[in-house]
Amino acid sequence: MTDIITLKALCDELKIDPREARERLRAAASDAKANPELAKARKPRTPWQWVKGSAAEKEARCTLSASSVSSK
């Protein structure tokens, strides 16, 4: 069975606010050229979650890491 990582787990790990994280992810997913895997993985009205180690998870981590550095 595949391991799933949720937005809550990612926020706990990166110590960022889930509300801000969702805003950043929505903005990043809307830019399909910059984040193609994140845009493909996004399904409206479903929880933010990714398969561990997937390209979409890496893009989400990159997006949220960049946002946590810039917000400090």
Side-chain angles (χ1 to χ4, degrees):
M1 190 166 136
T2 57
D3 287 334
I4 300 290
I5 186 162
T6 62
L7 179 63
K8 183 180 184 334
L10 213 51
C11 288
D12 289 344
E13 184 181 320
L14 298 172
K15 295 177 178 50
I16 52 178
D17 180 42
R19 184 177 186 166
E20 181 182 335
R22 286 190 304 272
E23 289 175 7
R24 302 253 183 202
L25 286 171
R26 279 193 297 268
S30 68
D31 186 5
K33 278 190 175 180
N35 304 299
E37 294 300 321
L38 197 58
K40 276 193 267 181
R42 179 66 187 135
K43 293 173 183 63
R45 302 218 177 258
T46 60
W48 286 98
Q49 58 187 16
W50 307 271
V51 174
K52 242 182 196 174
S54 68
E57 184 218 350
K58 289 179 180 133
E59 285 184 6
R61 267 185 199 280
C62 184
T63 299
L64 296 176
S65 295
S67 69
S68 66
V69 169
S70 65
S71 66
K72 289 182 180 178

